């Protein structure tokens, strides 16, 4: 078809369409670009920058208003001005000098330019000549080029010289000029320095909010879309951790990129030191705090900063917090709300939803410490660090709970893959049979944990069947504080089957344990010894028992390291046998179990005749409430035996055997008692059945055999051997799920079963009614006797009221709680308020029967209920209250929102929720399951007495167990002192060292009137003593940097807060006037407050109103209690003496004792102090443990270990001292040590110490201050410490009775070292360090200047001085001359 | 022995100084020689060293005058045991001291915890509970605290803060003097045999109650010290009598303390009239003195 002029479409219309579509596409493009540009993070970053600018501007304003700055600045400007003025007078000279400088500068620059050319020419000539040499040109040509080079070189050298001359001249001229302008230059420098902060801040502000229009324009331009791809001020902040990979769930491990700082822009901003630049808080105007993401990290000393142990470039953010590091929006970062109330808030604010697709969601705040244990596999340093304090207390608590309750007995936590560390390691130590094999296997690392329960190997010598059954069924019914969990009477045991079988199982366990119990050698007190319970009580208090055990008769001290002993008399078997068991246990616990935690207390019998006492027997008598002889002992309670239903027993056995034998075999066996398989072929627990006697079936033996079998089966089933040593179970494996990677366990592998249905109606012990503390009005109205209780207010609508049984004598009738019932007691415990009742309810296992005493209709009734309510209802109520902000008590709000968090987690099949409910009600997952699963497959996890807070801590720990160690370089498993500290911390806990000893002293912080502080007088001391004090105890700054306002009389002062460590000497006396009430504390450390030095022993006295905080000591609760008890019971007259009688604080023990000595002492503690009422017991410590603990103390105090140099024993030192002695006292011919030995044997030390076999005279053993035998001092004490101790004993231990024997300014024993106290002190120390050598060489001597014929007269000094110094009054077993000779010959 | 203590008790270091004060002030109430600090065992004070130090100093002479604007009066009295009290037997008979017998055994060692004579109770501290606003400076003369025959002399000592306590040792054996104050730093130094130069001890802060002083070498040696920040304090003599001079007129609260009965009176109220001696009797039930 030929072309025509016609258009197919109307061009005009087409133009419009094209135009429109062009505009639309443009619009879409713009929108696209905008959408790409308008990221969420930009808003955050912009606000962050404006906050930074605002803060800097405020700082600038503050500086500019600071009068000190204004004053200084004015001064400096004035200086500049006057310097300028002065220079004006020298204008001519200045001009000349300036001209000279500029001329010379020009000239030398010109020369330099020339010089560069000449150097180039020379270099070319050198190279060309080199080429000729290389090409082996004829000699002539080579020489020609050589000449050319020489000429160029000469030329260059000339210019080099010219330049150096000129630059020297220039330097001189500049110096001359500077000399003239020196004043002004200095003044200008000062101005600059003064303004440096301002300049820095202005520059920072200028970057964000430029002042010049051009810069502002440029900045705005750089923020434009597309342009902002090129170094824009707003950009993604990214940290790259190539060695900290992240696992993308089965796909690959990729390098980690964290972009968290894009929004958390100021996260690493520091203020002064490591204080957060933008402290976290409400962010309200004027609060000085900021909300996330505009806040800084709260612990910049610990994280992010380059000096911290976790610098940002190495650790990033997600390695600790988890979350999606690459995400740049709130949602994509995978933030996780801490509880549903926050979740609710986030949904509104950020459209938050739970993103299931990211495998590593951020840890909610409650689990923020979980990830710490990925690298900190030893955990203890997270709970106690000298530098950083308790940095992760919650995960540490979780770890400690797992350790204390022995979870690892059933749930192994294996921190090793072969020998490679993968995480926290908590495994039982191998049984004796396996230990050697494991030790010799290079591919295995042995577990280290001991079983947490007592050994049951010799159970029959301790208790009887009735008690054992009673205890096994419900341990807390005997001892409410026990850590033993409950295996019976739980939610999956309420049906008929379990009710029938449980008594059989319990009886079986007791039968098995008693039947297999092995005999042990028991000790007995001496025949006819009558134990004295009253004396036993005193010994129980003073011999250290209450450092680990609680006892009802010991008021004011509670310890839960060992079991509570108040009712031990109801547990031990009757008669002499029972008494002897306890006696043996107290006296030699290792007889019962060689690895027991109970130490050997050295409670040996002592005295003769009437004075004969046997402390262990007395203590046993006290504990057993024994009145007559041991043979008369009768337990204070009797226990009925379980009735074993024969049919149930047989039924149970048949159920066990059904997997092993045919129905026919079973039937035959039950009839004849002859096991169809020969005993030697039986491997499992059935061995108990197969080992029957031959001959006719004896019904009693048959019954016993069946019970034993059921017992053994039940022990296998419940894994009792995870905590207890039980015969035949030595090498049995833990029964529970291993936990080392539970934190990443696939959620689909958790059996939630019918838990939601259960929790809908159950799971929360509750009365189903609203309650309130009984008011006075109601008490009167209802005529309640006593007037205290909790009133039922009303039924909760929609809730089924709780069923109750009215118990009246032996009648039991159905009943129900009603409004206006007043609950007076709960399981025998008097109830006085609603909070207390709620606490009791929370502690109750839902569904277990509880007896209530109820006031109804003017009299008291007994009702039995099984408190059970709906967890869902509790959660809904809690959430409602939290959203409406109705909680008054933050702790309660925390508890309720936590419950809501876990409940919701359960709803989403989350690990935390599963764990929480598992620990609250371990058997609840069997709800409606027990109807369909075999009896044997029912859940077996026991119920532990954990509070919800405990469970939260355990969850934090367990969720951190992922067995996914980051790159090995990130594992924190240090060697050297840091490693020694970690090992030691574990051992301190293991042996409960802090039960007796204070490891750190209490800290006091108070508002101090600095002017009123009396500085210690250093001038009154020996200079060397001060030097040594500052070396061993470097002065610590007492100023905390805080201030507080203190009211005194009518005025209020703002005072600086001073913190110090010491012991309280006097508490405020409430009888005094308020303004006279004061604290008196004795300082133990070397403190510096401002320019005042305060030495130890300074009394810190401050008004009660000035006290800010008193942080308790670390450990030593028992020592404090004992000291106060001794003082109150008037056994000692002074607090200082009471402390000397108690376990000493191990304050700075590391600088005190020699590590090898401590090692031996820990293994076998000898008696050191005679003033203490008890002595250090012997723990069953392995050599490794003792070594680690000995190293710990040195490492903790920064002392050298494991070996210590003792220069005072070395010949060179001794020869120098001898030379000095001979020079100062030419008449002395013997050596230095001989002189020192005389000093040590002079009538000073020997007054209290045993020296050289001479015992100090004792006057009254109860009152004497008998000091330690000096024989051990040289091996025990470090030289520097010993010297400081001799200089000033109280600087080390303020309460000591050791006097300062050679004080400055006094002369004593002038026959020795001329009476110079300083020399005498050093010499005493040296004698002690060489004690054994001197004992061997010089033997026993007596040095007494008072004994010679000249009678002591009034002028004793004169007499001593007048004596011929060389004829020292020494009497010795060896002749003195002989001693001199041997000494002199050295 | 008690008699001799009484006799010498009236002649002390301060006697002269106070006589001058009394007459110098023109009070005229009493010009007889009296003491301000009267130790229970004043025979400790004596000997050449102390006599030399007894020269009155300016501070001690002029100071009381300053506080006497409203007139001064004295407080005298007696601490009397009510009920039967059997004097305590000696702690160790002569020659029976168990340690350093050649030194400590030269005389019997009495049990000084309750000293009584003629129904009076000795070694009772009577002191103003709170220092008045204006207080005379501490005397420059030291008080002497001696150890002789392994007995502290005096057994009860009151001293003004900043006044020097001179600790002597008149025995040929080492003693260590160990104080247990609650507000002052504790002191524990060996005092060498026959030390007549002595060791100086200064208390810088007042204490609210007397505290124990001991010797750890000889555990039976016990004394009590009380530093106060004013001069208005006394220790009763063996017969229970005491005197506090130059008290500003007006109402005062005194504390009365004894080592067995501890704080016998928390605030004994006494009104002092100018230039007039006020005489009181402080009864102490015998039951309080039984351990």
């Amino acid at each position: 078809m030929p072309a025509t002029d016609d258009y197919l479409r109307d061009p005009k219309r087409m133009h419009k369409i094209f135009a429109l579509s062009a505009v639309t596409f443009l619009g879409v493009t713009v929108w696209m670009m905008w959408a790409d540009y308008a990221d969420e993070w930009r808003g955050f970053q912009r606000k962050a920058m404006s906050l930074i600018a605002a803060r800097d501007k405020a700082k600038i304003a503050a500086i500019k208003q600071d009068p000190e700055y204004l004053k200084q600045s004015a001064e400096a400007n004035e200086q500049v001005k006057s310097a300028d003025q002065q220079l004006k007078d020298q204008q001519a000279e200045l001009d000349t000098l300036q001209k000279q400088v500029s001329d010379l500068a020009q000239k030398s620059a010109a020369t330099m330019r020339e010089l560069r050319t000449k150097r180039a020419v020379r270099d070319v000539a050198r190279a060309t000549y080199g080429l000729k040499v290389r090409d082996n040109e004829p000699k002539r040509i080579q020489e020609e080029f050589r000449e050319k080079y020489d000429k160029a070189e000469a030329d260059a050298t000339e210019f080099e010289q010219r330049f150096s001359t000129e630059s020297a001249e220039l330097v001189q001229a500049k110096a001359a000029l500077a000399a003239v302008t020196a004043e002004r230059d200095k003044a200008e420098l000062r101005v600059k320095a003064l303004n440096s902060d301002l300049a820095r801040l202005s520059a920072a502000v200028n970057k964000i909010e430029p002042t010049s229009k051009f810069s502002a324009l440029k900045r705005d331009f750089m923020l434009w879309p597309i342009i902002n791809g090129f170094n824009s001020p707003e950009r993604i902040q990214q940290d790259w951790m190539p060695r900290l990979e992240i696992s993308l769930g089965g796909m690959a491990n990729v390098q980690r990129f964290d972009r968290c700082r894009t929004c958390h822009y100021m996260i690493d901003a520091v203020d002064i030191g490591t204080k957060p630049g933008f402290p976290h808080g409400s962010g309200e105007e004027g609060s000085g705090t900021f909300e996330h993401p505009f806040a800084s990290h709260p612990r910049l000393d610990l994280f992010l900063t380059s000096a911290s142990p976790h610098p940002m470039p190495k650790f990033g953010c997600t390695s600790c917090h988890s979350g999606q590091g690459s995400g740049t929006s709130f949602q994509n970062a995978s933030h996780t709300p801490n509880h549903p109330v926050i979740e609710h808030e986030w949904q509104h604010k950020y459209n938050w939803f739970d993103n299931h697709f990211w495998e590593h969601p951020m840890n909610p705040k409650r689990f923020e410490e979980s990830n710490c244990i990925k690298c900190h596999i030893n955990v203890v340093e997270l709970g106690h660090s000298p530098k950083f304090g308790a940095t992760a207390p919650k995960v540490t608590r979780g770890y400690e709970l797992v350790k204390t309750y022995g979870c690892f007995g059933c749930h192994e936590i294996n921190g090793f893959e072969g020998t490679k560390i993968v995480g926290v390691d908590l495994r039982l130590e191998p049984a004796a049979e396996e230990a050697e094999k494991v030790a010799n296997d290079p591919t295995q690392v042995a577990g280290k944990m001991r079983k947490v329960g007592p050994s049951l190997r010799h159970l029959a010598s301790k208790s009887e069947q009735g008690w054992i059954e009673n205890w096994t069924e419900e341990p807390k019914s005997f001892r409410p504080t026990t850590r033993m969990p409950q295996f019976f009477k739980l939610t999956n045991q309420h049906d008929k089957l379990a009710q029938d079988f449980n008594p059989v199982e319990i009886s079986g366990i007791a039968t098995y344990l008693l039947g297999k119990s092995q005999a042990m050698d028991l000790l007995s007190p001496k025949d006819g010894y009558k134990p004295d319970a009253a004396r036993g009580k005193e010994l129980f208090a003073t011999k250290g028992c209450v450092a680990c055990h609680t006892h009802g008769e010991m008021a004011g001290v509670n310890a839960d390291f060992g079991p509570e002993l108040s009712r031990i008399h109801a547990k031990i078997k009757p008669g002499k046998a029972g008494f002897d068991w306890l006696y043996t246990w107290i006296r030699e616990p290792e007889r019962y179990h060689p690895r027991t935690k109970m130490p050997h207390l050295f409670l040996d019998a002592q005295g003769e005749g009437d004075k004969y006492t046997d402390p262990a027997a007395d203590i046993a008598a006290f504990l057993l409430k024994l009145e007559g002889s041991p043979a008369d002992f009768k337990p204070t309670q009797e226990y009925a035996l379980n009735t074993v239903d024969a049919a149930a027993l047989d039924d149970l056995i048949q159920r066990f055997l059904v997997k092993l034998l045919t129905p026919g075999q079973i039937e035959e066996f039950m009839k004849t008692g002859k096991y169809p398989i020969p005993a030697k072929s039986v491997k499992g627990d059935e061995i108990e059945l197969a080992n029957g006697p031959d001959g006719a079936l004896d019904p009693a033996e048959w019954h016993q055999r069946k019970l034993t079998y059921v017992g053994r089966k039940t022990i296998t089933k419940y894994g009792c051997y995870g905590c207890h040593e039980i015969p035949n179970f030595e090498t049995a494996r833990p029964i529970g799920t291993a936990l080392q990677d539970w934190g990443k366990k696939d959620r689909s592998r958790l059996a939630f079963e019918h838990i939601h249905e259960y929790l809908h109606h159950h799971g929360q012990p509750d009365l189903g009614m609203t309650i309130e503390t009984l008011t006075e009005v109601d008490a009167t109205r209802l005529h309640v006797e006593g007037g205290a209780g909790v009133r039922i207010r009303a039924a909760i609508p929609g809730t089924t009221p709780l069923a109750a049984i009215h118990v009246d004598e032996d009648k039991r009738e159905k009943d129900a709680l009603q409004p206006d019932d007043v609950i007076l007691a709960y399981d025998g415990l008097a109830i006085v308020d609603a909070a207390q009742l709620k606490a009791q309810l929370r502690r109750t296992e839902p569904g277990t029967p509880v007896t209530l005493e109820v006031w109804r209709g003017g009299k008291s009734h007994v009702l039995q209920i099984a408190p059970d309510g709906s967890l869902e209802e509790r959660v809904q109520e809690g959430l409602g209250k939290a959203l409406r902000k109705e909680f008054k008590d933050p702790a309660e709000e925390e508890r309720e929102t936590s419950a809501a968090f876990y409940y919701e987690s359960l709803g989403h099949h989350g690990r935390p929720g599963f764990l929480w409910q598992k620990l609250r009600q371990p058997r609840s997952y069997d709800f409606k399951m027990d109807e369909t699963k075999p009896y044997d497959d029912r859940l077996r996890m026991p119920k532990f007495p954990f509070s919800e807070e405990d469970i939260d801590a355990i969850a934090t720990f367990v969720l951190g167990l992922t067995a996914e160690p980051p790159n090995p370089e990130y594992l924190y498993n240090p060697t050297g002192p840091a490693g020694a500290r970690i090992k030691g911390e574990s051992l301190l806990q293991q042996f409960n060292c802090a039960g007796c000893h204070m490891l750190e002293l209490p800290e006091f912080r108070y508002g101090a009137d600095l002017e009123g502080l009396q500085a210690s007088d250093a001038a009154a001391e020996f200079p060397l003593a001060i030097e040594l004090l500052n070396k061993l105890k470097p002065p610590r700054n007492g100023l905390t940097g805080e201030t507080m306002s203190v009211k005194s009389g009518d005025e209020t002062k703002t005072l600086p807060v001073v913190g110090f460590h010491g012991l309280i000497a006097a508490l405020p006396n409430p009888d005094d006037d308020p303004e006279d009430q004061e604290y008196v504390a004795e300082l133990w450390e070397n403190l510096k407050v401002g320019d005042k030095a305060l030495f130890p022993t300074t009394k810190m006295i401050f008004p009660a109103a000035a006290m800010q905080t008193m942080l308790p000591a670390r450990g030593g609760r028992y020592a404090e209690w004992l000291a106060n008890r001794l003082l109150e019971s008037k056994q000692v007259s002074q607090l200082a003496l009471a402390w000397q009688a108690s376990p000493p604080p191990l304050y700075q023990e590391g600088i005190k004792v020699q590590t090898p000595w401590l090692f031996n002492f820990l293994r076998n503690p000898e008696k050191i102090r005679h003033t203490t009422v008890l002595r250090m017991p012997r723990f069953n410590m392995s050599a490794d443990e003792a070594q680690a603990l000995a190293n710990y103390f040195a490492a903790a105090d920064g002392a050298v270990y494991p070996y210590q140099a003792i220069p005072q024993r070395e010949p060179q030192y001794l020869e120098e001292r001898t030379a000095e002695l001979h020079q100062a006292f030419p008449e002395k011919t013997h050596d230095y040590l001989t002189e020192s030995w005389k000093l040590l044997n002079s009538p000073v030390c020997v007054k209290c110490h045993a020296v050289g076999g001479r015992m100090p005279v004792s006057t009254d053993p109860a009152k004497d201050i008998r000091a330690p035998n000096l024989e051990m001092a040289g091996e025990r004490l470090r030289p520097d410490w010993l010297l400081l101790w001799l200089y000033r004993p109280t600087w080390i231990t303020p309460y000591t009775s050791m006097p300062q024997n050679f004080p400055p300014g006094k002369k004593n024993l002038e026959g020795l070292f001329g009476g110079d106290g300083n020399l005498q002190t050093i010499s005493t120390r040296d004698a002690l360090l060489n004690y054994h050598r001197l004992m061997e060489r010089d033997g026993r001597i007596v040095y007494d200047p008072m004994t010679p014929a000249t009678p002591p007269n009034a002028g004793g000094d004169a007499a001593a001085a007048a004596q011929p110094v060389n004829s020292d009054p020494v009497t010795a077993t060896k002749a003195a001359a002989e001693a001199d000779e041997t000494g002199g010959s050295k | 022995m008690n008699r001799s203590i009484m006799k010498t008790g009236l002649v002390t270091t301060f006697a002269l100084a106070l006589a001058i004060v009394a007459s110098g002030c023109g009070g005229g109430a009493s010009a007889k020689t009296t003491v301000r600090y009267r130790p229970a065992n004043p025979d400790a004070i004596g000997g050449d060293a102390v006599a030399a130090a007894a020269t009155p100093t300016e501070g001690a002479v002029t100071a009381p005058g300053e506080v006497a604007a409203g007139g001064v009066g004295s407080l005298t009295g007696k601490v009397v045991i009510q009920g039967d009290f059997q004097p305590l037997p000696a702690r160790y008979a002569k020659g029976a001291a168990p340690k350093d017998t050649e030194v400590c055994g030269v005389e019997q060692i009495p049990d000084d915890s309750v000293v009584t004579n003629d129904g009076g109770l000795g070694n009772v501290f009577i002191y103003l509970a709170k220092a008045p606003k204006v207080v005379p400076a501490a005397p420059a003369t030291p008080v002497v605290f001696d150890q002789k025959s392994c007995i502290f002399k005096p057994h009860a000592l009151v001293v003004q803060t900043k006044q020097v306590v001179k600790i002597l040792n008149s025995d040929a054996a080492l003693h260590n003097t160990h104080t247990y104050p609650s507000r002052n730093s504790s002191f524990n130094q060996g005092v060498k045999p026959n030390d007549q130069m002595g060791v100086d001890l200064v208390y810088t802060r007042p204490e609210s109650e007397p505290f124990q002083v001991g010797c750890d070498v000889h555990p039976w040696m016990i004394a009590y010290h009380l530093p106060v920040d004013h001069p208005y304090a006394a220790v009763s003599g063996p017969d229970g009598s005491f005197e506090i001079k130059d008290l500003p007129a007006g109402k005062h609260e005194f504390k009365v303390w004894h080592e067995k009965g501890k704080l016998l009176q928390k605030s004994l109220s006494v009104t002092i009239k100018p230039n007039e001696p006020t005489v009181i009797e402080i009864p102490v039930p015998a039951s309080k003195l039984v351990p």
Side-chain angles (χ1 to χ4, degrees), chain A residues 746-800:
Chain A
D746 190 346
R747 299 196 286 188
S748 63
R749 288 174 55 207
L750 299 175
F752 285 91
E753 315 289 8
H754 304 309
I755 194 70
H756 304 111
E757 293 72 21
Y758 173 77
L759 293 177
H760 207 77
H761 297 293
H762 310 278
Q764 186 53 46
D766 194 8
L767 299 176
M769 318 274 271
T770 55
I771 54 169
E772 67 175 19
T773 306
L774 186 66
T775 59
E776 235 172 87
V777 177
D778 286 329
T780 321
R781 178 169 64 84
L782 301 168
H783 311 288
V784 183
E785 278 172 19
V790 170
R791 188 176 71 94
I792 307 277
R793 224 167 49 184
I796 301 167
T799 312
T800 337

Side-chain angles (χ1 to χ4, degrees), chain A residues 33-55:
Chain A
M33 282 166 61
W34 172 255
D36 180 52
Y37 172 76
D39 273 331
E40 199 179 345
W41 62 266
R42 272 181 213 282
F44 289 124
Q45 220 171 71
R46 222 161 268 175
K47 184 164 178 206
M49 289 188 193
S50 74
L51 286 172
I52 292 173
R55 183 197 62 164

Side-chain angles (χ1 to χ4, degrees), chain A residues 269-338:
Chain A
V270 285
D271 199 7
I272 301 155
T274 51
K275 273 195 194 153
F278 295 85
H280 183 225
S282 65
E284 277 162 32
E285 191 75 33
S287 67
T289 58
F290 300 84
E291 270 188 299
H292 284 313
F294 308 116
S296 309
H297 199 286
R299 290 297 301 268
L300 287 165
D301 56 332
L302 201 55
F303 300 103
L304 307 184
T305 49
S306 56
S308 73
H310 308 91
M312 174 123 73
K314 192 176 171 196
F315 288 87
C317 308
T318 58
S319 55
C320 297
H321 289 278
S322 295
Q324 188 168 352
S326 54
T328 53
S329 71
F330 188 87
Q331 176 61 40
N332 280 345
S334 244
H335 288 98
T336 307
N338 198 35

